Amino acid sequence: MTGLGGRHRDKRSFALRLAVLASVAALLAGCGSFGGEKPTPQPIVPASAPKVAPAPTAVSQEQARIAAAYGGVYSKPDLVTLLNSVADRLAAASERPDLRYKVTLLNSPLINAFALPNGNLYVTRGLLAVANDTSEIAAVLAHEMAHVTARHAFQRADEERKAVLVSRVVSDVLEDREAGAVALAKSKLSLASFSRAQELEADRIGVQNIARAGFDPYGASRFLLSMGRQSELRSAALGQKPSQPGLDFLSTHPSTPERVQLAVTAARQIGAPGVGERDRDAYLVALNGTTYGDDPAQGFARGRRFLHPRLGFTFLAPEGFTFENGSEALLGVAPDGRALRLDAARLGSSQTLESYIAENWIDGVEPGPVEKLEVNGMDAVTVVARGKEWTFRFAAVKFGADVYRLIFAARELTPDIDEGFRASLATFRRLTQAESEQAQPLKIEVATVRPGDTEETLARRMAVTDRALERFAVLNGFAPGDPLQAGLRVKVIGE
């Protein structure tokens, strides 16, 4: 969340944002291409931010758009060199050795990887944090390369054009908009099945390719399993139930358990476990020092506190909240269904906070009286708006030329819950220069297991307090009960 994305001025756009807040739990779930997370665009990071290189001017508009949408290009030369060497090795062993690939590392904590038809492969640092050896990374890259060689992007684009054409013919030519909508819905179901088949085909081709290149073919199933466990951990941290497959999920991916089983089956056709190269140590050495989670240039959370050193503010969420940072806004959820949203707007030249708040209301809610207050030396207003199912506490804080909007939501706004919302608003303040300078990202650190170490002792070394033991196990691909051998290298989260 760099500029907090949207300086929305009209009532309709703001209404849409509040509607999004009311369904924030659904918005926080999703998936990416190989990865298990929705490809939500990440904040555009300023060129001055550490470890983020600006997109080269010679790249295509599409490549530049992708880099910007995922926080920019992340600069870690040794890691990028390893990724490209794996891609070269896979290309040489593939059915199309004439094709060349280039891997770009993106500065996003999301778990995602995808490919363009021209051979450009993109991998997020969030995905690399979940992987544990070169064979798992090879599986990710081989999967995306399979999409290119199988021309899946072209095939899907053709199917989408057909779907739109059918709906337009029914809607415009036959002058039946309702039937056109039904036709489009049916086409989306067909596209869901079509994309699902493509993902499974890419998995199968990828497993065969990594085996031909000399990597462990079981790397694909291990990574898919870790990805599924990471998704479950993320849902638990956000207070959500594990997401159930639905139309949106099936529009891009089959379920992870199905993919794991098919990947294992494909690997068994090649050989028993233990064949092929894994090279865990080489991978972890290259990964060591990589940023983990949000980059401070994009704003980041430490427990319930959110800090944005570049924009110069901080605030503390109510008890029980977990943050999800995005390009449009900062979102937060609590296990009991409470939600919050923080974004920014710009006042008109003659607009006051009171007039601004009166002009930006969601349809279907009844705002109460506007209350003027001061929040740590800044002018602010707040008001409660009651809707059919949700009640919102909306606050606008004047921060320089901008207005920061904190929107809290609860299905039942009890006095205790509202007291927590108001207490959170009261913590919104400017960061000191020292605080901004001291804000550092979390990093992946590689440690060596010593005699006597356990998962518990290593988890206590993690610079996170929320579910540290679970995070340590998922981060390292450990199943419950796996023994720790002295001398093994493992990942921990440090500062």
Side-chain angles (χ1 to χ4, degrees):
M1 188 180 68
T2 52
L4 289 102
R7 308 199 183 278
H8 314 296
R9 300 181 180 85
D10 62 280
K11 179 178 178 181
R12 183 180 177 189
S13 66
F14 184 52
L16 291 174
R17 266 66 191 179
L18 283 179
V20 167
L21 177 66
S23 59
V24 67
L27 185 149
L28 292 177
C31 60
S33 181
F34 191 96
E37 296 187 33
K38 178 182 177 180
T40 306
Q42 289 300 291
I44 301 173
V45 180
S48 59
K51 286 190 174 292
V52 180
T57 57
V59 300
S60 67
Q61 287 186 343
E62 180 69 7
Q63 290 170 295
R65 183 190 66 80
I66 289 172
Y70 281 86
V73 177
Y74 187 79
S75 178
K76 199 168 192 308
D78 51 345
L79 187 53
V80 173
T81 297
L82 183 146
L83 295 174
N84 278 289
S85 67
V86 171
D88 289 343
R89 188 166 154 183
L90 290 169
S94 73
E95 296 177 352
R96 291 290 308 276
D98 55 307
L99 295 181
R100 289 293 176 266
Y101 298 88
K102 178 186 176 184
V103 184
T104 298
L105 180 54
L106 298 174
N107 187 38
S108 171
L110 292 180
I111 300 174
N112 209 351
F114 46 91
L116 296 185
N118 63 2
N120 283 297
L121 306 177
Y122 297 87
V123 180
T124 61
R125 57 176 172 79
L127 182 145
L128 299 184
V130 177
N132 281 287
D133 58 47
T134 53
S135 73
E136 294 183 19
I137 288 302
V140 173
L141 298 179
H143 174 98
E144 299 306 329
M145 292 163 69
H147 282 310
V148 175
T149 57
R151 297 176 60 82
H152 285 163
F154 294 109
Q155 293 171 11
R156 180 173 174 82
D158 187 52
E159 291 293 321
E160 288 174 342
R161 282 192 295 269
K162 290 177 183 176
V164 172
L165 179 61
V166 168
S167 65
R168 284 180 178 173
V169 167
V170 174
S171 179
D172 299 340
V173 179
L174 301 182
E175 297 183 351
D176 190 339
R177 293 192 176 184
E178 185 175 343
V182 171
L184 186 59
K186 288 181 177 178
S187 297
K188 286 183 177 179
L189 284 172
S190 296
L191 279 170
S193 177
F194 180 76
S195 297
R196 178 176 176 276
Q198 286 187 335
E199 290 299 318
L200 295 177
E201 182 183 16
D203 282 344
R204 179 184 56 79
I205 295 173
V207 170
Q208 293 172 345
N209 192 17
I210 64 176
R212 284 195 301 267
F215 294 107
D216 177 8
Y218 291 86
S221 58
R222 285 197 306 275
F223 180 79
L224 287 168
L225 191 59
S226 291
M227 186 182 73
R229 293 177 64 200
Q230 175 66 25
S231 178
E232 292 171 0
L233 178 60
R234 180 171 175 266
S235 295
L238 292 171
Q240 301 172 348
K241 294 179 181 179
S243 58
Q244 296 298 315
L247 281 180
D248 290 339
F249 183 84
L250 288 178
S251 67
T252 52
H253 294 94
S255 67
T256 296
E258 182 185 13
R259 293 181 69 187
V260 170
Q261 184 55 52
L262 290 174
V264 169
T265 300
R268 282 176 178 165
Q269 292 174 352
I270 296 164
V275 299
E277 175 186 318
R278 293 178 62 171
D279 209 349
R280 177 185 175 95
D281 285 352
Y283 177 70
L284 293 183
V285 167
L287 186 67
N288 190 33
T290 301
T291 298
Y292 179 85
D294 292 327
D295 191 308
Q298 303 166 356
F300 65 98
R302 289 292 184 270
R304 291 191 294 127
R305 179 166 295 283
F306 183 79
L307 306 93
H308 205 307
R310 192 179 68 82
L311 296 180
F313 73 87
T314 182
F315 84 102
L316 189 68
E319 290 284 350
F321 269 76
T322 300
F323 288 117
E324 183 85 357
N325 199 6
S327 61
E328 288 293 323
L330 172 72
L331 302 174
V333 292
D336 59 8
R338 290 171 296 155
L340 70 83
R341 176 187 171 99
L342 172 69
D343 62 11
R346 183 66 61 90
L347 285 181
S349 56
S350 60
Q351 206 172 26
T352 64
L353 283 177
E354 294 90 330
S355 64
Y356 169 79
I357 205 170
E359 294 169 5
N360 289 275
W361 282 114
I362 181 173
D363 295 333
V365 300
E366 283 296 324
V370 176
E371 177 186 353
K372 296 178 64 176
L373 64 158
E374 185 178 279
V375 175
N376 295 311
M378 296 170 283
D379 291 334
V381 292
T382 185
V383 66
V384 170
R386 299 188 183 277
K388 205 170 189 181
E389 297 182 3
W390 290 82
T391 299
F392 302 95
R393 173 165 289 284
F394 175 66
V397 182
K398 188 74 166 60
F399 191 88
D402 292 326
V403 172
Y404 280 77
R405 308 189 302 197
L406 265 166
I407 310 165
F408 301 96
R411 291 194 178 275
E412 182 182 358
L413 189 65
T414 65
D416 285 346
I417 289 177
D418 194 38
E419 182 181 348
F421 288 169
R422 293 186 67 103
S424 175
L425 170 62
T427 67
F428 189 94
R429 64 175 177 83
R430 298 179 186 275
L431 283 171
T432 66
Q433 184 66 31
E435 286 175 321
S436 295
E437 292 173 354
Q438 291 168 6
Q440 296 295 323
L442 296 177
K443 292 183 179 295
I444 294 175
E445 296 178 352
V446 177
T448 301
V449 177
R450 297 168 298 196
D453 275 340
T454 64
E455 289 191 17
E456 288 77 10
T457 61
L458 288 164
R460 285 197 290 270
R461 295 174 54 182
M462 305 262 280
V464 292
T465 55
D466 179 42
R467 301 174 185 271
L469 182 59
E470 293 174 75
R471 290 185 189 280
F472 174 78
V474 171
L475 195 65
N476 289 283
F478 293 152
D482 278 356
L484 283 181
Q485 297 179 348
L488 179 70
R489 287 181 171 177
V490 294
K491 291 176 284 184
V492 295
I493 302 170
E495 288 185 300

mmCIF file of all heavy atoms in Angstrom, residues 304 316-319 338 384 393 408 410 412-427:
data_model
loop_
_atom_site.group_PDB
_atom_site.id
_atom_site.type_symbol
_atom_site.label_atom_id
_atom_site.label_comp_id
_atom_site.label_asym_id
_atom_site.label_seq_id
_atom_site.Cartn_x
_atom_site.Cartn_y
_atom_site.Cartn_z
ATOM 1 N N ARG A 304 -0.384 -6.283 15.511
ATOM 2 C CA ARG A 304 -1.539 -5.424 15.237
ATOM 3 C C ARG A 304 -1.149 -4.036 14.770
ATOM 4 O O ARG A 304 -2.002 -3.251 14.366
ATOM 5 C CB ARG A 304 -2.409 -5.284 16.496
ATOM 6 C CG ARG A 304 -3.138 -6.547 16.910
ATOM 7 C CD ARG A 304 -4.163 -6.238 17.988
ATOM 8 N NE ARG A 304 -3.568 -5.807 19.246
ATOM 9 C CZ ARG A 304 -3.899 -4.690 19.884
ATOM 10 N NH1 ARG A 304 -4.780 -3.854 19.385
ATOM 11 N NH2 ARG A 304 -3.335 -4.406 21.047
ATOM 12 N N LEU A 316 -2.588 1.342 15.326
ATOM 13 C CA LEU A 316 -2.729 0.040 15.958
ATOM 14 C C LEU A 316 -4.158 -0.449 15.752
ATOM 15 O O LEU A 316 -5.116 0.243 16.105
ATOM 16 C CB LEU A 316 -2.420 0.140 17.455
ATOM 17 C CG LEU A 316 -2.321 -1.157 18.245
ATOM 18 C CD1 LEU A 316 -1.098 -1.963 17.812
ATOM 19 C CD2 LEU A 316 -2.251 -0.849 19.741
ATOM 20 N N ALA A 317 -4.317 -1.639 15.156
ATOM 21 C CA ALA A 317 -5.645 -2.209 14.938
ATOM 22 C C ALA A 317 -6.230 -2.694 16.261
ATOM 23 O O ALA A 317 -5.505 -2.928 17.230
ATOM 24 C CB ALA A 317 -5.567 -3.371 13.954
ATOM 25 N N PRO A 318 -7.548 -2.860 16.329
ATOM 26 C CA PRO A 318 -8.149 -3.422 17.540
ATOM 27 C C PRO A 318 -7.645 -4.836 17.811
ATOM 28 O O PRO A 318 -7.066 -5.488 16.935
ATOM 29 C CB PRO A 318 -9.655 -3.423 17.214
ATOM 30 C CG PRO A 318 -9.829 -2.387 16.151
ATOM 31 C CD PRO A 318 -8.563 -2.441 15.343
ATOM 32 N N GLU A 319 -7.900 -5.326 18.998
ATOM 33 C CA GLU A 319 -7.479 -6.677 19.389
ATOM 34 C C GLU A 319 -8.003 -7.718 18.407
ATOM 35 O O GLU A 319 -9.147 -7.653 17.961
ATOM 36 C CB GLU A 319 -8.001 -7.014 20.784
ATOM 37 C CG GLU A 319 -7.342 -6.255 21.915
ATOM 38 C CD GLU A 319 -5.953 -6.792 22.248
ATOM 39 O OE1 GLU A 319 -5.592 -7.872 21.724
ATOM 40 O OE2 GLU A 319 -5.239 -6.130 23.025
ATOM 41 N N ARG A 338 -15.259 -8.933 12.536
ATOM 42 C CA ARG A 338 -14.965 -7.505 12.399
ATOM 43 C C ARG A 338 -13.988 -7.281 11.246
ATOM 44 O O ARG A 338 -13.187 -8.165 10.922
ATOM 45 C CB ARG A 338 -14.352 -6.969 13.687
ATOM 46 C CG ARG A 338 -15.293 -6.883 14.884
ATOM 47 C CD ARG A 338 -14.525 -6.540 16.149
ATOM 48 N NE ARG A 338 -13.571 -7.606 16.481
ATOM 49 C CZ ARG A 338 -12.456 -7.431 17.196
ATOM 50 N NH1 ARG A 338 -12.140 -6.219 17.635
ATOM 51 N NH2 ARG A 338 -11.670 -8.439 17.459
ATOM 52 N N VAL A 384 -20.989 7.097 12.662
ATOM 53 C CA VAL A 384 -21.461 5.722 12.566
ATOM 54 C C VAL A 384 -22.562 5.661 11.513
ATOM 55 O O VAL A 384 -23.459 6.511 11.487
ATOM 56 C CB VAL A 384 -21.995 5.227 13.926
ATOM 57 C CG1 VAL A 384 -22.704 3.878 13.775
ATOM 58 C CG2 VAL A 384 -20.847 5.092 14.919
ATOM 59 N N ARG A 393 -18.171 2.255 11.303
ATOM 60 C CA ARG A 393 -17.650 3.499 11.868
ATOM 61 C C ARG A 393 -16.645 4.035 10.874
ATOM 62 O O ARG A 393 -15.635 3.399 10.577
ATOM 63 C CB ARG A 393 -17.010 3.315 13.241
ATOM 64 C CG ARG A 393 -16.321 4.614 13.715
ATOM 65 C CD ARG A 393 -15.980 4.640 15.170
ATOM 66 N NE ARG A 393 -17.127 4.765 16.039
ATOM 67 C CZ ARG A 393 -17.812 5.906 16.254
ATOM 68 N NH1 ARG A 393 -17.456 7.021 15.624
ATOM 69 N NH2 ARG A 393 -18.823 5.915 17.081
ATOM 70 N N PHE A 408 -14.228 0.998 9.814
ATOM 71 C CA PHE A 408 -14.388 -0.193 10.636
ATOM 72 C C PHE A 408 -15.786 -0.765 10.394
ATOM 73 O O PHE A 408 -16.738 -0.014 10.165
ATOM 74 C CB PHE A 408 -14.235 0.142 12.122
ATOM 75 C CG PHE A 408 -12.910 0.741 12.486
ATOM 76 C CD1 PHE A 408 -12.760 2.106 12.587
ATOM 77 C CD2 PHE A 408 -11.814 -0.069 12.736
ATOM 78 C CE1 PHE A 408 -11.535 2.672 12.934
ATOM 79 C CE2 PHE A 408 -10.582 0.471 13.086
ATOM 80 C CZ PHE A 408 -10.449 1.848 13.177
ATOM 81 N N ALA A 410 -18.680 -3.989 11.591
ATOM 82 C CA ALA A 410 -19.086 -5.103 12.457
ATOM 83 C C ALA A 410 -20.547 -5.412 12.167
ATOM 84 O O ALA A 410 -21.327 -4.510 11.849
ATOM 85 C CB ALA A 410 -18.908 -4.751 13.928
ATOM 86 N N GLU A 412 -22.622 -6.485 14.368
ATOM 87 C CA GLU A 412 -23.335 -5.896 15.503
ATOM 88 C C GLU A 412 -22.360 -4.992 16.245
ATOM 89 O O GLU A 412 -21.422 -5.467 16.885
ATOM 90 C CB GLU A 412 -23.871 -6.983 16.439
ATOM 91 C CG GLU A 412 -24.658 -6.424 17.605
ATOM 92 C CD GLU A 412 -25.145 -7.504 18.562
ATOM 93 O OE1 GLU A 412 -24.891 -8.694 18.278
ATOM 94 O OE2 GLU A 412 -25.768 -7.153 19.581
ATOM 95 N N LEU A 413 -22.576 -3.691 16.147
ATOM 96 C CA LEU A 413 -21.664 -2.734 16.761
ATOM 97 C C LEU A 413 -22.038 -2.533 18.223
ATOM 98 O O LEU A 413 -22.782 -1.612 18.582
ATOM 99 C CB LEU A 413 -21.697 -1.405 15.994
ATOM 100 C CG LEU A 413 -20.626 -0.384 16.404
ATOM 101 C CD1 LEU A 413 -19.233 -0.919 16.074
ATOM 102 C CD2 LEU A 413 -20.852 0.949 15.712
ATOM 103 N N THR A 414 -21.513 -3.391 19.072
ATOM 104 C CA THR A 414 -21.765 -3.270 20.513
ATOM 105 C C THR A 414 -20.906 -2.136 21.065
ATOM 106 O O THR A 414 -19.922 -1.715 20.444
ATOM 107 C CB THR A 414 -21.411 -4.572 21.229
ATOM 108 O OG1 THR A 414 -19.993 -4.785 21.115
ATOM 109 C CG2 THR A 414 -22.158 -5.759 20.638
ATOM 110 N N PRO A 415 -21.237 -1.630 22.256
ATOM 111 C CA PRO A 415 -20.406 -0.584 22.861
ATOM 112 C C PRO A 415 -18.942 -0.991 23.016
ATOM 113 O O PRO A 415 -18.038 -0.183 22.798
ATOM 114 C CB PRO A 415 -21.081 -0.350 24.220
ATOM 115 C CG PRO A 415 -22.513 -0.714 23.985
ATOM 116 C CD PRO A 415 -22.473 -1.866 23.035
ATOM 117 N N ASP A 416 -18.701 -2.252 23.378
ATOM 118 C CA ASP A 416 -17.317 -2.716 23.546
ATOM 119 C C ASP A 416 -16.570 -2.728 22.213
ATOM 120 O O ASP A 416 -15.400 -2.311 22.139
ATOM 121 C CB ASP A 416 -17.296 -4.115 24.160
ATOM 122 C CG ASP A 416 -17.617 -4.112 25.639
ATOM 123 O OD1 ASP A 416 -17.592 -3.014 26.243
ATOM 124 O OD2 ASP A 416 -17.889 -5.191 26.192
ATOM 125 N N ILE A 417 -17.241 -3.219 21.165
ATOM 126 C CA ILE A 417 -16.598 -3.247 19.850
ATOM 127 C C ILE A 417 -16.325 -1.830 19.366
ATOM 128 O O ILE A 417 -15.243 -1.524 18.854
ATOM 129 C CB ILE A 417 -17.462 -4.021 18.840
ATOM 130 C CG1 ILE A 417 -17.438 -5.521 19.155
ATOM 131 C CG2 ILE A 417 -16.980 -3.785 17.407
ATOM 132 C CD1 ILE A 417 -18.328 -6.357 18.261
ATOM 133 N N ASP A 418 -17.294 -0.932 19.538
ATOM 134 C CA ASP A 418 -17.101 0.443 19.084
ATOM 135 C C ASP A 418 -16.012 1.146 19.885
ATOM 136 O O ASP A 418 -15.250 1.960 19.350
ATOM 137 C CB ASP A 418 -18.417 1.219 19.188
ATOM 138 C CG ASP A 418 -18.366 2.528 18.411
ATOM 139 O OD1 ASP A 418 -17.754 2.541 17.316
ATOM 140 O OD2 ASP A 418 -18.916 3.531 18.884
ATOM 141 N N GLU A 419 -15.910 0.811 21.153
ATOM 142 C CA GLU A 419 -14.831 1.381 21.968
ATOM 143 C C GLU A 419 -13.469 0.960 21.406
ATOM 144 O O GLU A 419 -12.529 1.750 21.358
ATOM 145 C CB GLU A 419 -14.964 0.930 23.420
ATOM 146 C CG GLU A 419 -13.908 1.515 24.350
ATOM 147 C CD GLU A 419 -14.055 1.034 25.788
ATOM 148 O OE1 GLU A 419 -15.104 0.444 26.107
ATOM 149 O OE2 GLU A 419 -13.112 1.243 26.578
ATOM 150 N N GLY A 420 -13.372 -0.313 20.958
ATOM 151 C CA GLY A 420 -12.132 -0.783 20.332
ATOM 152 C C GLY A 420 -11.845 -0.063 19.034
ATOM 153 O O GLY A 420 -10.682 0.270 18.731
ATOM 154 N N PHE A 421 -12.886 0.212 18.238
ATOM 155 C CA PHE A 421 -12.702 0.950 16.988
ATOM 156 C C PHE A 421 -12.208 2.373 17.269
ATOM 157 O O PHE A 421 -11.283 2.869 16.607
ATOM 158 C CB PHE A 421 -14.026 1.010 16.216
ATOM 159 C CG PHE A 421 -14.446 -0.293 15.595
ATOM 160 C CD1 PHE A 421 -15.718 -0.445 15.061
ATOM 161 C CD2 PHE A 421 -13.586 -1.378 15.530
ATOM 162 C CE1 PHE A 421 -16.121 -1.641 14.474
ATOM 163 C CE2 PHE A 421 -13.962 -2.586 14.959
ATOM 164 C CZ PHE A 421 -15.238 -2.706 14.429
ATOM 165 N N ARG A 422 -12.812 3.031 18.241
ATOM 166 C CA ARG A 422 -12.404 4.404 18.561
ATOM 167 C C ARG A 422 -10.992 4.435 19.143
ATOM 168 O O ARG A 422 -10.213 5.356 18.861
ATOM 169 C CB ARG A 422 -13.405 5.033 19.527
ATOM 170 C CG ARG A 422 -14.797 5.260 18.935
ATOM 171 C CD ARG A 422 -15.676 6.017 19.921
ATOM 172 N NE ARG A 422 -15.186 7.379 20.101
ATOM 173 C CZ ARG A 422 -15.730 8.458 19.548
ATOM 174 N NH1 ARG A 422 -16.789 8.333 18.761
ATOM 175 N NH2 ARG A 422 -15.235 9.659 19.776
ATOM 176 N N ALA A 423 -10.657 3.431 19.934
ATOM 177 C CA ALA A 423 -9.302 3.369 20.497
ATOM 178 C C ALA A 423 -8.278 3.182 19.387
ATOM 179 O O ALA A 423 -7.175 3.757 19.422
ATOM 180 C CB ALA A 423 -9.206 2.238 21.513
ATOM 181 N N SER A 424 -8.615 2.386 18.381
ATOM 182 C CA SER A 424 -7.719 2.195 17.236
ATOM 183 C C SER A 424 -7.529 3.494 16.480
ATOM 184 O O SER A 424 -6.398 3.858 16.119
ATOM 185 C CB SER A 424 -8.287 1.117 16.309
ATOM 186 O OG SER A 424 -7.493 0.986 15.142
ATOM 187 N N LEU A 425 -8.618 4.212 16.237
ATOM 188 C CA LEU A 425 -8.529 5.508 15.551
ATOM 189 C C LEU A 425 -7.601 6.456 16.308
ATOM 190 O O LEU A 425 -6.809 7.191 15.700
ATOM 191 C CB LEU A 425 -9.930 6.104 15.421
ATOM 192 C CG LEU A 425 -10.016 7.559 14.938
ATOM 193 C CD1 LEU A 425 -9.438 7.694 13.536
ATOM 194 C CD2 LEU A 425 -11.467 8.040 14.977
ATOM 195 N N ALA A 426 -7.672 6.429 17.628
ATOM 196 C CA ALA A 426 -6.863 7.340 18.449
ATOM 197 C C ALA A 426 -5.372 7.052 18.347
ATOM 198 O O ALA A 426 -4.548 7.901 18.718
ATOM 199 C CB ALA A 426 -7.314 7.265 19.904
ATOM 200 N N THR A 427 -4.982 5.875 17.846
ATOM 201 C CA THR A 427 -3.556 5.545 17.722
ATOM 202 C C THR A 427 -2.957 6.020 16.399
ATOM 203 O O THR A 427 -1.749 5.912 16.215
ATOM 204 C CB THR A 427 -3.331 4.024 17.838
ATOM 205 O OG1 THR A 427 -3.912 3.363 16.694
ATOM 206 C CG2 THR A 427 -3.941 3.466 19.117
#
